Amino acid sequence: MSRKTTPPTGRFAPSPSGRMHMGNLWSCLLAWLSARSAGGRMVLRLEDLDPDRCRPEYCDQVMRDLEWLGLDWDGAPVYQSRRTGAYAAAFRALEEQGLVYPCFCTRAERLAASAPHRSDGVAVYDGRCARLSPAEREALSQTRRPAWRVRVPEREVAFSDLLQGEYREELSRDCGDFILRRSDGVYAYQLAVVVDDAMMGVTQVVRGSDLLSSTPRQLWLQERLSLPHPEYGHLPLLLAPDGRRLAKRDRGLELGQLQECYTAPQLVGLLAHAAGLIDRPERITPRELVPLFSWDRLPREDLVWGPL
Ligand code: GLU
């Protein structure tokens, strides 16, 4: 008897800190194709938590950019900046489990207090503020506003990625106690993303492999908060010819500039060709690509973005 599988719910989760760029477009197109080719839903979340970097006008622009490319979504977009109450509740739930502690380290102290070997290049915090006595905490809180960290266990978290295969991390060694809430009160990405993926019913997360090493933290938080685990697919990154990852500072690759040179079907064709979905970089729409999408065709290695 064949088992009927439920179509996935995928998501776009751009950070509206500027125009979309090639790297976002690549992940958004492939996340959309993965969900739509399996008859699934696609939801949109604007990750606008950081008031220093995100602006409301960028949110509108991101939506226009997705539409321009031919990507649609179901239901109303979710704005993280409006969901602080939900993050506060999750934070309290972790606090009640005795897992949260204030960290008074300044950035410089944090760097000094770290062993530099996490896979994403970020230093592993040594947990020194977890060992402060109540009196020391009290004294420090007179002069500094703390960030809040969650205490991770000595435990291996493993999962099977749709594209990268098995991936595992030992949380205390490879990741360390991580920040849930910044000292300015802003909730951290890791917390917000697990709360929102669950609330939005996301069952499939497709994103760049720069976030692969965040996934064990997210899986562990889901477990602590009794939230379901989505499946994950981490895409290879698009690199500049010198091997750097394409970033917002590569201004020529921002959508505003790309639109001066390409129509949407031309740009989609270039991306689809790089993804191995079509043989030549010809004009094509996301809709026309739906029947051609297959995880088996996608490259596993990072790609140098040559055509531009
Ligand atoms: N907002 C993140 C970004 O634009 C993506 C986060 C995620 O997909 O989990 O890079």
Short mmCIF file of all heavy atoms in Angstrom, two decimals, residues 11-16 24 45 47 80 189 193 197 205-208 210-211 218 245 248, ligand 1:
data_model
loop_
_atom_site.label_atom_id
_atom_site.label_comp_id
_atom_site.label_asym_id
_atom_site.label_seq_id
_atom_site.Cartn_x
_atom_site.Cartn_y
_atom_site.Cartn_z
N ARG A 11 9.06 28.19 2.49
CA ARG A 11 8.97 29.61 2.86
C ARG A 11 10.09 30.43 2.21
O ARG A 11 11.18 29.93 1.92
CB ARG A 11 8.96 29.79 4.38
CG ARG A 11 9.88 28.93 5.22
CD ARG A 11 11.27 29.38 5.22
NE ARG A 11 11.97 29.16 6.46
CZ ARG A 11 13.22 29.52 6.66
NH1 ARG A 11 13.93 30.04 5.68
NH2 ARG A 11 13.83 29.31 7.80
N PHE A 12 9.74 31.71 1.99
CA PHE A 12 10.74 32.72 1.70
C PHE A 12 10.98 33.42 3.03
O PHE A 12 10.01 33.75 3.72
CB PHE A 12 10.21 33.81 0.75
CG PHE A 12 9.75 33.35 -0.59
CD1 PHE A 12 8.45 33.58 -1.02
CD2 PHE A 12 10.63 32.73 -1.47
CE1 PHE A 12 8.02 33.20 -2.28
CE2 PHE A 12 10.21 32.35 -2.73
CZ PHE A 12 8.91 32.59 -3.14
N ALA A 13 12.24 33.67 3.36
CA ALA A 13 12.51 34.39 4.62
C ALA A 13 13.57 35.46 4.42
O ALA A 13 14.61 35.45 5.09
CB ALA A 13 12.93 33.39 5.69
N PRO A 14 13.34 36.39 3.49
CA PRO A 14 14.38 37.40 3.25
C PRO A 14 14.51 38.40 4.40
O PRO A 14 13.55 38.65 5.12
CB PRO A 14 13.89 38.10 1.98
CG PRO A 14 12.41 37.92 1.98
CD PRO A 14 12.16 36.60 2.65
N SER A 15 15.72 38.92 4.56
CA SER A 15 15.95 40.02 5.51
C SER A 15 15.87 41.32 4.72
O SER A 15 16.70 41.54 3.85
CB SER A 15 17.35 39.90 6.13
OG SER A 15 17.49 38.66 6.75
N PRO A 16 14.88 42.14 4.98
CA PRO A 16 14.72 43.36 4.17
C PRO A 16 15.69 44.46 4.58
O PRO A 16 15.30 45.47 5.16
CB PRO A 16 13.26 43.75 4.42
CG PRO A 16 12.97 43.20 5.77
CD PRO A 16 13.82 42.00 5.98
N ASN A 24 19.97 35.89 -2.81
CA ASN A 24 18.57 35.71 -2.36
C ASN A 24 17.71 35.13 -3.46
O ASN A 24 16.86 34.29 -3.22
CB ASN A 24 17.85 37.03 -2.05
CG ASN A 24 18.52 37.87 -1.02
OD1 ASN A 24 18.67 39.05 -1.23
ND2 ASN A 24 18.92 37.27 0.07
N ARG A 45 7.90 35.35 4.93
CA ARG A 45 8.19 36.01 6.22
C ARG A 45 9.28 37.04 6.01
O ARG A 45 10.33 36.72 5.43
CB ARG A 45 8.65 34.94 7.22
CG ARG A 45 9.10 35.53 8.53
CD ARG A 45 9.30 34.47 9.56
NE ARG A 45 10.51 33.71 9.39
CZ ARG A 45 10.56 32.40 9.22
NH1 ARG A 45 9.48 31.67 9.16
NH2 ARG A 45 11.72 31.81 9.10
N GLU A 47 12.08 39.03 7.57
CA GLU A 47 12.91 38.92 8.78
C GLU A 47 13.49 40.30 9.10
O GLU A 47 14.67 40.57 8.89
CB GLU A 47 13.97 37.84 8.59
CG GLU A 47 13.30 36.50 8.28
CD GLU A 47 14.03 35.29 8.80
OE1 GLU A 47 15.27 35.26 8.77
OE2 GLU A 47 13.34 34.33 9.24
N GLN A 80 8.43 39.81 11.17
CA GLN A 80 8.99 39.43 12.48
C GLN A 80 8.92 40.59 13.48
O GLN A 80 8.77 40.37 14.67
CB GLN A 80 10.44 38.96 12.33
CG GLN A 80 10.51 37.59 11.69
CD GLN A 80 11.86 36.93 11.82
OE1 GLN A 80 12.89 37.60 11.73
NE2 GLN A 80 11.88 35.63 12.00
N TYR A 189 17.91 35.84 15.74
CA TYR A 189 17.43 35.07 14.58
C TYR A 189 17.11 33.62 14.95
O TYR A 189 16.06 33.10 14.57
CB TYR A 189 18.52 35.15 13.49
CG TYR A 189 18.46 34.03 12.49
CD1 TYR A 189 17.44 33.99 11.54
CD2 TYR A 189 19.39 32.99 12.51
CE1 TYR A 189 17.37 32.96 10.63
CE2 TYR A 189 19.32 31.95 11.60
CZ TYR A 189 18.30 31.93 10.67
OH TYR A 189 18.21 30.90 9.78
N VAL A 193 13.36 32.31 14.27
CA VAL A 193 13.13 31.44 13.11
C VAL A 193 12.40 30.15 13.50
O VAL A 193 11.50 29.70 12.79
CB VAL A 193 14.47 31.19 12.37
CG1 VAL A 193 15.32 30.14 13.04
CG2 VAL A 193 14.28 30.85 10.95
N ASP A 197 8.78 29.45 11.99
CA ASP A 197 8.59 28.31 11.09
C ASP A 197 7.45 27.43 11.61
O ASP A 197 6.61 26.96 10.84
CB ASP A 197 9.90 27.49 10.94
CG ASP A 197 10.89 28.15 9.97
OD1 ASP A 197 10.46 28.98 9.14
OD2 ASP A 197 12.09 27.84 10.05
N VAL A 205 12.40 23.73 4.76
CA VAL A 205 13.24 24.93 4.76
C VAL A 205 14.32 24.75 3.69
O VAL A 205 15.14 23.84 3.79
CB VAL A 205 13.88 25.14 6.14
CG1 VAL A 205 14.90 26.29 6.10
CG2 VAL A 205 12.81 25.42 7.20
N VAL A 206 14.28 25.61 2.68
CA VAL A 206 15.31 25.58 1.63
C VAL A 206 16.02 26.92 1.69
O VAL A 206 15.39 27.97 1.56
CB VAL A 206 14.68 25.35 0.24
CG1 VAL A 206 15.74 25.39 -0.84
CG2 VAL A 206 13.95 24.00 0.22
N ARG A 207 17.33 26.90 1.91
CA ARG A 207 18.08 28.15 2.08
C ARG A 207 19.55 27.89 1.76
O ARG A 207 19.94 26.75 1.49
CB ARG A 207 17.91 28.67 3.51
CG ARG A 207 18.36 27.67 4.55
CD ARG A 207 17.98 28.12 5.96
NE ARG A 207 18.36 27.12 6.94
CZ ARG A 207 18.01 27.16 8.21
NH1 ARG A 207 17.28 28.14 8.67
NH2 ARG A 207 18.41 26.22 9.05
N GLY A 208 20.35 28.93 1.82
CA GLY A 208 21.76 28.81 1.46
C GLY A 208 22.55 28.00 2.49
O GLY A 208 22.20 27.97 3.68
N ASP A 210 25.17 28.64 3.83
CA ASP A 210 25.77 29.44 4.90
C ASP A 210 24.98 29.25 6.19
O ASP A 210 25.49 29.55 7.27
CB ASP A 210 25.83 30.93 4.52
CG ASP A 210 24.49 31.47 4.02
OD1 ASP A 210 23.73 30.72 3.39
OD2 ASP A 210 24.21 32.65 4.28
N LEU A 211 23.76 28.75 6.11
CA LEU A 211 22.95 28.54 7.31
C LEU A 211 22.93 27.08 7.77
O LEU A 211 22.23 26.74 8.74
CB LEU A 211 21.52 29.06 7.09
CG LEU A 211 21.48 30.60 7.03
CD1 LEU A 211 20.16 31.09 6.47
CD2 LEU A 211 21.73 31.20 8.40
N GLN A 218 18.81 25.11 15.66
CA GLN A 218 17.36 25.26 15.46
C GLN A 218 16.63 23.96 15.79
O GLN A 218 15.56 23.97 16.40
CB GLN A 218 17.10 25.75 14.03
CG GLN A 218 17.66 27.16 13.86
CD GLN A 218 17.58 27.72 12.46
OE1 GLN A 218 16.91 27.18 11.59
NE2 GLN A 218 18.28 28.83 12.23
N ARG A 245 31.85 34.75 -1.30
CA ARG A 245 30.42 34.53 -1.46
C ARG A 245 29.78 35.85 -1.90
O ARG A 245 30.19 36.91 -1.45
CB ARG A 245 29.95 33.97 -0.13
CG ARG A 245 28.88 34.60 0.51
CD ARG A 245 28.36 33.77 1.66
NE ARG A 245 26.96 34.03 1.60
CZ ARG A 245 26.28 34.56 2.61
NH1 ARG A 245 26.85 34.77 3.75
NH2 ARG A 245 25.03 34.80 2.46
N LYS A 248 25.62 41.49 -0.33
CA LYS A 248 24.93 42.73 -0.68
C LYS A 248 25.90 43.77 -1.21
O LYS A 248 25.52 44.63 -2.00
CB LYS A 248 24.20 43.27 0.54
CG LYS A 248 23.04 42.36 0.90
CD LYS A 248 21.87 43.08 1.49
CE LYS A 248 20.65 42.16 1.41
NZ LYS A 248 19.92 42.03 2.61
N1 GLU B 1 16.75 35.95 6.68
C1 GLU B 1 17.83 35.08 6.32
C2 GLU B 1 18.55 35.65 5.12
O1 GLU B 1 17.99 36.45 4.39
C3 GLU B 1 17.36 33.67 5.98
C4 GLU B 1 17.03 32.91 7.19
C5 GLU B 1 16.55 31.48 6.93
O2 GLU B 1 16.29 31.11 5.78
O3 GLU B 1 16.42 30.75 7.91
O4 GLU B 1 19.68 35.29 4.89
#
